[in-house]
Amino acid sequence: MATAAAASAAELEADPKAGPEAEGEEDEAKADGARRKVFTRAVATATYKSMGPAWDQHQQREEGVSESDEDEEFAMASSAESSPGDDEWEYDEEEEKTQLEIERLEEQLSINVYDYNCHLDLIRLLRLEGELTKLRGARQKMSEIFPLTEELWLEWLHDEISMAGDSRDREHVYDLFERAVKDYICPNIWLEYGQYSVGGIGQKGGLEKVRSVFERALSSVGLHMTKGLAIWEAYREFENAIVEAARPMAGFLSPFDREQTFDSQLEKVHSLFRRQLAIPLYDMEATFAEYEEWSEDPVPESVIQSYHKALQQLEKYKPYEEALLEAETPRLAEYQAYIDFEMKIGDPARIQLIFERALVENCLVPDLWIRYSQYLDRQLKVKDLVLSVHSRAVRNCPWTVALWSRYLLALERHGVDHQVISVTFEKALSAGFIQATDYVEIWQAYLDYLRRRVDFKQDSSKELEELRSAFARALEYLQQEVEERFNESGDPSCMIMQNWARIEARLCNNMQKARELWDSIMTKGNAKYANMWLEYYSLERAHGDTQHCRKALHRAVQCTSDYPEHVCEVLLTMERTEGTLEDWDIAVQKTETRLARVNEQRIKAAEKEATLAQQEEEKAELRKKARAEKKAQRKKKTRGADKRKADEDNENEWGDEDEERPSKRRKLENSVPAAAEAPEAPDLAAETGLFGKSASADDTPASKQKERAAAPKKDVPKVPHDSSKDSVTVFVSNLPYSMAEPDEKLRPLFEACGEVAEVRPIFSNRGDFRGYCYVEFKEEQAALQALRLDRRDVGGRPMFVSPCVDKSKNPDFKVFRYSTALEKHKLFISGLPFSCTKEELEEICQAHGTVKDIRLVTNRAGKPKGLAYVEYENESQASQAVMKMDGMTIKENVIKVAISNPPQRKVPEKPEARKGPGGPTAPRQTYGARGKGRTQLSMLPRALHRPSATGAQAENGPASKPAATASEVTEAPKMSNADFAKLLLRK
C-alpha cells in the first residue's frame, strides 16, 4: 500500500499541470485538488505506522477500491507515456543541423567556459534532442560555474523526477533540490521539494523527511508576504491529511494511544495555524476564517491578539509590497527602500528575506551583494550563512574584486582551512577582472592574509617562506599576466613591493632585502617623485643607519622633479642635526646646484605658458569686441521714427539684461541706498570664484522673462530704509527670483535667531522680486545670530546673509567670511568630480590626519564647482596630505592639492590715477594659483616659501619686489625666480 501511494504521488508531481506554477483560477483549482489528493493518499503509510494493527481492518475494507483506482491511474499514465507523440522526430536535415550546432556550442564552451548564453543554447538543444546523458553533463557544468535561475532548476528537476525510479534515483533528486534552494530564494522550488518528499513517505524516515523539508521551507520563505502563504497551506494540508486519515479509527483507540497519536497529530495542525496567524501575510483574513471553521473549540484569545498584531504589521508593509507590484523588473530602487525600512526595524529574519528577494532580480548588482554581506559580517556572524552568501556573491558577480576580497576576509575570520582559502584565491585570479588595479587589490588581500599567518618571533618558518614566495609570484604575475593584458602595470607606485620591503625591514630585520626592493622600485619610474624617496628615507631612518639615509637623500636631490625643495629641506635638516661640517658643505652645494637648475627649467616653462596665456587673452578680447559690435548693431536697428515708442520697445527687449546688470536708476528704488548692497558683492566674488564674471540674475527661460517684462506694472509700496537700524538688520541676497511671498517664507527661517521686526523684500518697478531683501530684528544679538544662516539652502540656491552696512559712509568696510591669507593647516583641492559629496571627500582625507572641517565650493545656483577646502588639525597633517593626495584619482578625475593660499583681493584703482595725463601708469594685476588659470601656477609649494629679505611675502605666491627700472635691469641681470616670474605674469 505504501508503494502504491508513493508511486501515485510521484505521478501527480511529475505532471506540470498539478504544480504550483499553474496560472488562472481553473489551473489553481486543479492544482489544489491534486495536491490534496496526493496528501490524503500518500499519508496512509504514515498513519498505519502511527496507528498500529487497529488500522489494518479498516484499511482492508478500503483496499479493493483504492488499489483499483491506483491500477487504473497507473495504466492510464503508462499508456500516455508509451503512446507515440505527434512531434516525433525522424532523421532528416533538420536533425543534422541540430547536431552540428550542438558540436559548435560544445567547442565554443571548451574555449570560453564563462559564456552564459552558450550554456543555455546547448541545454535547450540537448533537451530537444532527448540526449539525457549529455544533458545532465551540460547542466552540471553550468551549475558549477553559474547559479541557475528558478526556471532552469524547475525544468531540470521535472526532467529528473520523471526519470526517477528506485530509491537511488530518488536520493539524486533530493540532492538536486538541496542544490537548487541554495542558489536563490525560490518559493516555488521549496513547494516542489515539499510535494516531492511526500512521495517518499513510505520509505524509512519518510515522515520526518517531509516535516524537515517543510520546516526549512518556512524558515527560508515563510515570511514572504506574497508567496509564503502557499508553503504554510501545503504544510498544513499535509498534517491535516494525516488527521483525517486517522479520524475514523480514533474511537477504537485507548485514551493513552489516542493522546499519543491522534490528539498529538491534531495539535500539530493547531500549532501551524497559530504560527501562521502570528506573522503578516496576504489573505490573513481567509486563513483566520478557515481556522475558526476547522477548529472544534473557540479560537484562544492569545491567538486572536497575535492575529490582530500581525494585521497591524501588514498595514505597515503594504506600501512597500504594493510599490514592488506596481514597478517593473528589476525594481532596484523599490527594494532599496524596502531594505532601509527593514533595517530600521531590525528583525534579522526579515532583513535577510528582503535582501534575498532583491537579489533574485538584481543578482548582477555588486553593491547589493556588498551591502548584504556587510550586514551579515557585522550583525549575524553565522558562519554557514555568511560564507554561503559570500560564495554566491562571487558566483554572480565574479568580475568584482571587492566581493572576492571580502570573501577571503570572511574565510579567514571564520577559521576556514588554509587550503580552502588558497583555492578561493586561485579562483579569484581566474575570474577575469576588468581593471589592472583589481589584480593588485586581490593580491594585496591575499598577501595580507599570509602575513597574518606568520609568527615573526621565529627566524624561519614554513609560513614565512610561503609569504616570500607569494610576494615573488605576485610581482611576476603582475608583470607577465596583467601588463600584457592591460598594457599597464596596475601598480605604478609599487605598493606590493613597498609592503614587502616594510615586512622585511620591520618584522624580519632584513634591511639588505628591503634595500634591494627599494632599488627595484626606483628603477620602475618612481625616482622622480619626492614622496617615494621620503618613504624610503623614513624606512632607513627607522630600521637602517645614517649612512644609507644620507645616500638616499643625495640620490633624491638629484632625481626628484616634482618637489625638489622639500627633499633638499629634509637633507639639510638631517645634516644640521647629525652631519659634520663636511657633510653640511656637500649638502648645501648639491641643493643649491639642483635648485638653480630647477629654476632655469621653470623659467622656460613659465615663458611658454605666459605666451600661450597672452594669445588666449587676445583671442578672448577679439571675441568680446565682436559681440559688442553685434549688440550695438541690434540696438541701432530697433530705433524708429517715434522716439518714445522706440524707448519702450527697447526697454521691453533689453529688460532682462537690465535685471542682470543693475543701472544707476535702481539705486533709488524703494528709497534704499545702493551702497547697502555692496557688502555682498566682494563676498560673492571671492567665495564662488566668479572673478571678473557676472552671474545671471534670473534662472527663468528667456520667453518667460519677456512675458514678465511685458506684464503690467504693479504698485509696490516704497519703504524708506532707516540706516540707523543697520546694527539690527541683515542683508539677504541670492534668493530665487521666482520666490512668491518672500516675507512669509523667510520670516520662519529667521525667527529661529530672534524676534523679527520686519522683512523687506526688494521689488522692481514691474513688481518682480529682485532676489534680495532686508531682515530687521528687535535686538542686535539676533542679527549677529542670523549671520550663521549664510549659505543656507533656500529654494535650491545658497542664501547669502551679510551685515547691513552703508558703503557710502563706510568705504573701507569689508565683509569676507573666509581668510585670504596663507593657511598652512588648510588644503585647497581642485579637479573634484561634481558628484563628489562631502562625506566621500572626508573619508578620503581622514586617512592622512584629523579633519576639522570640509567646505565644497558652489556657484550662486548651488551647483558644485569641483573645488573644496579641507582644514586639518595642524600643519604637519596638511603637509602630509598634500604629498599623498596630490595627483590622486577620484571617480576618474585627477585632483590637485595645495596648501590654501587664496589670491590677493583686488583693490579698486582711482580713475584719475589710471587715466590722468602724465600720471603714473598703474601696474597690471598679477594673478596667482587661482587667478587667471592653471598656466600661471607657482611651481614652488607655498608651504616651503621663505620670507624675502627685501619685502613682505605676497599672499598669492613667492615674495614680490617693486618693479625694476630699465637701468636696474641692466645693472643686475641676475634676477631671482620670483622677480622673473612676476615680470612674465604681468599683462
Side-chain angles (χ1 to χ4, degrees):
M1 182 62 196
T3 304
S8 62
E11 293 170 13
L12 287 172
E13 289 168 349
D15 184 6
K17 294 182 179 180
E21 295 182 328
E23 299 179 356
E25 296 182 358
E26 183 177 354
D27 293 340
E28 287 289 345
K30 291 181 180 180
D32 291 342
R35 185 170 62 246
R36 293 176 186 274
K37 187 175 181 181
V38 169
F39 287 155
T40 303
R41 292 167 54 188
V43 299
T45 303
T47 307
Y48 173 78
K49 180 178 179 181
S50 59
M51 301 296 289
W55 172 253
D56 191 28
Q57 297 178 356
H58 176 76
Q59 183 66 18
Q60 289 178 356
R61 291 195 298 269
E62 303 292 336
E63 190 174 28
V65 179
S66 300
E67 290 182 354
S68 62
D69 292 342
E70 292 167 5
D71 293 342
E72 181 179 356
E73 293 180 5
F74 184 78
M76 293 175 62
S78 300
S79 176
E81 291 177 358
S82 61
S83 59
D86 296 335
D87 300 328
E88 185 175 352
W89 285 82
E90 296 180 359
Y91 187 79
D92 53 12
E93 294 182 358
E94 291 296 331
E95 186 172 356
E96 185 176 356
K97 291 181 180 180
T98 302
Q99 291 295 333
L100 292 176
E101 180 65 14
I102 290 175
E103 294 177 0
R104 186 190 69 81
L105 292 174
E106 290 176 343
E107 182 179 358
Q108 184 173 345
L109 285 177
S110 64
I111 300 174
N112 181 17
V113 73
Y114 290 98
D115 192 335
Y116 187 85
N117 293 327
C118 189
H119 282 284
L120 293 180
D121 294 339
L122 179 60
I123 291 173
R124 177 181 57 83
L125 291 178
L126 291 176
R127 191 167 188 261
L128 189 64
E129 287 294 297
E131 298 186 13
L132 302 181
T133 303
K134 289 187 176 181
L135 178 60
R136 279 181 175 175
R139 283 169 166 167
Q140 179 68 24
K141 191 173 183 179
M142 183 179 182
S143 65
E144 291 175 356
I145 302 174
F146 300 105
L148 304 185
T149 62
E150 181 178 348
E151 293 75 14
L152 291 174
W153 273 118
L154 288 175
E155 183 182 88
W156 190 358
L157 289 167
H158 288 159
D159 290 345
E160 295 292 343
I161 289 173
S162 63
M163 295 184 293
D166 53 11
S167 59
R168 181 179 301 177
D169 293 338
R170 196 168 191 85
E171 289 299 324
H172 172 66
V173 176
Y174 283 149
D175 292 339
L176 282 182
F177 270 115
E178 289 295 333
R179 292 171 55 188
V181 297
K182 290 178 181 178
D183 277 352
Y184 300 109
I185 178 173
C186 300
N188 291 334
I189 292 180
W190 276 112
L191 191 60
E192 286 282 338
Y193 195 5
Q195 290 180 348
Y196 182 75
S197 63
V198 172
I201 198 173
Q203 300 177 354
K204 183 179 180 181
L207 184 60
E208 289 76 11
K209 175 72 173 179
V210 176
R211 286 174 174 160
S212 173
V213 170
F214 274 115
E215 286 293 340
R216 290 169 55 203
L218 292 180
S219 300
S220 178
V221 296
L223 297 178
H224 199 303
M225 297 187 64
T226 57
K227 297 183 178 181
L229 181 64
I231 304 296
W232 284 101
E233 289 185 346
Y235 191 11
R236 201 174 61 246
E237 288 173 5
F238 167 74
E239 297 290 358
N240 193 41
I242 298 178
V243 172
E244 295 301 324
R247 190 180 297 276
M249 293 304 299
F252 297 96
L253 300 175
S254 64
F256 177 78
D257 292 338
R258 178 185 174 90
E259 181 180 357
Q260 294 293 323
T261 56
F262 182 76
D263 292 346
S264 176
Q265 183 63 32
L266 198 65
E267 180 60 28
K268 285 183 173 62
V269 181
H270 277 286
S271 176
L272 286 174
F273 268 116
R274 294 167 185 169
R275 289 166 58 189
Q276 181 179 351
L277 292 173
I279 60 176
L281 294 172
Y282 272 58
D283 297 331
M284 291 185 63
E285 297 83 355
T287 304
F288 185 77
E290 182 181 352
Y291 186 30
E292 287 183 318
E293 181 181 356
W294 180 85
S295 178
E296 298 177 356
D297 301 325
V299 179
E301 184 65 25
S302 60
V303 177
I304 297 177
Q305 293 178 358
S306 299
Y307 166 68
H308 287 299
K309 184 178 179 180
L311 281 177
Q312 295 176 357
Q313 293 178 344
L314 179 62
E315 293 301 320
K316 296 180 181 179
Y317 287 108
K318 272 187 177 180
Y320 297 96
E321 293 289 348
E322 291 172 356
L324 290 175
L325 294 174
E326 295 173 0
E328 297 181 357
T329 306
R331 306 179 287 190
L332 179 59
E334 289 75 15
Y335 275 118
Q336 292 282 16
Y338 206 162
I339 291 172
D340 294 338
F341 174 72
E342 291 286 12
M343 295 284 276
K344 291 179 181 179
I345 296 178
D347 186 350
R350 300 199 67 90
I351 293 174
Q352 182 185 352
L353 176 64
I354 191 58
F355 267 117
E356 293 287 353
R357 289 176 61 184
L359 287 168
V360 171
E361 300 180 18
N362 299 276
C363 59
L364 301 181
V365 180
D367 291 342
L368 192 58
W369 283 107
I370 290 176
R371 187 179 181 188
Y372 185 23
S373 60
Q374 180 176 302
Y375 168 77
L376 297 177
D377 287 334
R378 297 179 180 179
Q379 301 295 329
L380 294 187
K381 301 180 181 180
V382 180
K383 177 180 178 180
D384 293 339
L385 178 59
V386 169
L387 297 184
S388 173
V389 171
H390 279 289
S391 176
R392 291 161 54 205
V394 297
R395 292 184 67 203
N396 282 273
C397 305
W399 62 87
T400 307
V401 67
L403 293 174
W404 286 102
S405 300
R406 289 173 175 271
Y407 191 13
L408 294 176
L409 289 173
L411 291 171
E412 181 185 2
R413 191 177 295 118
H414 291 281
V416 178
D417 186 69
H418 171 63
Q419 186 64 27
V420 176
I421 298 179
S422 299
V423 171
T424 304
F425 168 71
E426 296 298 333
K427 290 181 179 179
L429 287 181
S430 61
F433 299 131
I434 57 179
Q435 299 182 54
T437 54
D438 292 343
Y439 288 94
V440 178
E441 183 177 345
I442 193 63
W443 269 110
Q444 196 67 268
Y446 185 58
L447 293 169
D448 291 344
Y449 156 71
L450 294 178
R451 194 267 306 164
R452 289 189 285 266
R453 296 179 66 241
V454 179
D455 182 8
F456 290 98
K457 295 180 181 179
Q458 303 178 9
D459 294 336
S460 178
S461 63
K462 178 182 178 182
E463 290 78 9
L464 179 58
E465 294 304 321
E466 184 177 1
L467 174 62
R468 286 171 171 165
S469 175
F471 268 115
R473 183 190 168 201
L475 299 178
E476 182 181 359
Y477 184 91
L478 293 176
Q479 182 178 3
Q480 296 182 358
E481 301 291 338
V482 177
E483 289 188 16
E484 291 180 1
R485 177 180 173 187
F486 297 96
N487 293 324
E488 59 176 305
S489 65
D491 189 14
S493 299
C494 301
M495 293 305 301
I496 290 181
M497 270 198 283
Q498 287 190 46
N499 291 335
W500 190 3
R502 293 189 190 101
I503 291 173
E504 293 289 353
R506 297 175 182 176
L507 302 178
C508 301
N509 298 320
N510 188 357
M511 274 303 299
Q512 183 62 32
K513 180 64 177 179
R515 293 181 184 118
E516 293 176 1
L517 290 170
W518 269 105
D519 285 341
S520 179
I521 291 172
M522 293 306 181
T523 58
K524 292 184 179 296
N526 293 297
K528 59 184 178 180
Y529 300 117
N531 64 325
M532 300 297 288
W533 284 108
L534 294 179
E535 186 72 25
Y536 177 33
Y537 167 74
S538 299
L539 192 67
E540 282 284 2
R541 191 76 171 170
H543 306 282
D545 51 52
T546 305
Q547 180 181 356
H548 285 89
C549 288
R550 182 176 291 109
K551 182 179 179 181
L553 289 178
H554 279 284
R555 292 175 60 192
V557 169
Q558 296 299 325
C559 301
T560 302
S561 60
D562 54 352
Y563 294 105
E565 296 88 354
H566 194 29
V567 175
C568 293
E569 189 70 24
V570 174
L571 174 59
L572 294 176
T573 301
M574 189 193 77
E575 299 297 2
R576 180 178 288 112
T577 56
E578 300 182 19
T580 64
L581 177 59
E582 183 182 0
D583 295 332
W584 172 260
D585 291 338
I586 295 174
V588 170
Q589 182 182 356
K590 283 195 173 184
T591 54
E592 288 180 350
T593 304
R594 175 58 177 164
L595 291 179
R597 191 183 314 122
V598 170
N599 287 335
E600 292 177 2
Q601 296 173 354
R602 289 175 178 173
I603 289 173
K604 293 180 180 179
E607 290 177 354
K608 184 177 180 180
E609 293 290 343
T611 303
L612 294 176
Q614 184 177 1
Q615 293 175 357
E616 290 294 331
E617 290 180 2
E618 292 175 355
K619 292 180 181 178
E621 189 67 25
L622 292 176
R623 289 194 296 265
K624 185 177 179 180
K625 290 181 179 180
R627 287 196 299 266
E629 293 176 358
K630 187 176 181 181
K631 184 176 179 181
Q633 292 177 0
R634 291 176 58 188
K635 281 188 175 182
K636 188 174 181 180
K637 289 180 181 179
T638 57
R639 297 176 181 176
D642 189 352
K643 186 176 182 180
R644 174 179 297 179
K645 184 176 180 181
D647 291 341
E648 293 176 356
D649 294 341
N650 189 50
E651 180 182 355
N652 291 335
E653 182 176 357
W654 303 103
D656 295 342
E657 181 183 285
D658 293 338
E659 287 292 309
E660 296 180 352
R661 186 183 49 188
S663 62
K664 294 182 179 180
R665 176 179 56 82
R666 292 190 175 172
K667 295 182 180 180
L668 303 178
E669 287 184 359
N670 287 10
S671 301
V672 179
E677 303 174 27
E680 186 59 24
D683 184 18
L684 172 64
E687 171 60 17
T688 59
L690 299 174
F691 299 105
K693 299 180 182 179
S694 60
S696 177
D698 200 345
D699 296 334
T700 56
S703 59
K704 294 186 178 180
Q705 292 180 0
K706 292 183 179 180
E707 293 177 1
R708 186 182 63 189
K713 298 182 179 180
K714 303 177 183 178
D715 293 332
V716 182
K718 306 299 180 181
V719 181
H721 177 73
D722 188 357
S723 59
S724 63
K725 296 183 179 181
D726 284 350
S727 61
V728 294
T729 306
V730 295
F731 178 71
V732 183
S733 61
N734 200 42
L735 297 171
Y737 289 88
S738 59
M739 178 182 289
E741 303 296 337
D743 186 358
E744 297 181 0
K745 293 186 177 181
L746 295 177
R747 183 177 291 271
L749 180 63
F750 285 95
E751 282 180 345
C753 304
E755 185 178 357
V756 177
E758 184 182 12
V759 177
R760 298 194 300 276
I762 306 302
F763 297 91
S764 66
N765 288 340
R766 291 188 298 270
D768 298 324
F769 180 49
R770 295 187 60 189
Y772 60 92
C773 66
Y774 296 86
V775 180
E776 181 183 331
F777 293 91
K778 293 288 187 181
E779 299 178 357
E780 184 176 350
Q781 185 64 29
L784 296 176
Q785 185 74 13
L787 296 177
R788 298 183 179 181
L789 297 178
D790 188 35
R791 313 292 162 173
R792 174 71 63 87
D793 184 89
V794 175
R797 300 169 65 90
M799 175 182 67
F800 301 152
V801 183
S802 58
C804 184
V805 178
D806 191 341
K807 290 295 291 291
S808 62
K809 299 179 181 179
N810 300 276
D812 297 330
F813 180 81
K814 295 181 180 180
V815 176
F816 194 62
R817 183 180 177 187
Y818 306 103
S819 173
T820 57
L822 176 65
E823 299 172 283
K824 295 184 179 181
H825 66 290
K826 186 180 292 186
L827 305 184
F828 174 75
I829 303 178
S830 60
L832 289 169
F834 293 155
S835 60
C836 182
T837 63
K838 182 177 180 181
E839 291 75 16
E840 293 173 344
L841 182 59
E842 183 176 7
E843 183 178 356
I844 296 172
C845 295
Q846 281 179 345
H848 311 294
T850 304
V851 178
K852 295 180 63 177
D853 184 38
I854 291 181
R855 177 168 62 90
L856 296 178
V857 181
T858 62
N859 59 15
R860 296 186 60 146
K863 305 294 184 180
K865 298 182 64 179
L867 308 175
Y869 289 90
V870 181
E871 181 179 355
Y872 278 94
E873 192 172 33
N874 52 53
E875 298 178 10
S876 61
Q877 293 180 358
S879 177
Q880 182 71 11
V882 171
M883 299 294 296
K884 297 292 184 181
M885 294 177 58
D886 189 31
M888 178 185 291
T889 301
I890 299 179
K891 296 182 179 179
E892 300 182 357
N893 283 33
V894 179
I895 65 173
K896 294 185 177 180
V897 185
I899 298 297
S900 175
N901 190 12
Q904 186 175 4
R905 302 288 301 284
K906 182 178 180 180
V907 180
E909 301 174 356
K910 295 182 180 181
E912 56 272 14
R914 184 171 60 252
K915 299 181 180 179
T921 304
R924 296 182 179 272
Q925 182 182 3
T926 58
Y927 294 88
R930 289 180 289 287
K932 275 295 181 181
R934 58 179 296 183
T935 59
Q936 299 178 7
L937 282 173
S938 174
M939 298 298 181
L940 186 63
R942 299 190 187 96
L944 301 178
H945 277 302
R946 297 178 178 177
S948 174
T950 58
Q953 183 181 8
E955 292 179 342
N956 193 34
S960 59
K961 299 180 181 179
T965 62
S967 60
E968 290 174 343
V969 173
T970 56
E971 292 175 2
K974 295 184 178 180
M975 296 186 298
S976 68
N977 181 33
D979 294 333
F980 197 79
K982 183 177 179 181
L983 292 175
L984 290 174
L985 297 181
R986 288 184 178 180
K987 290 185 178 179

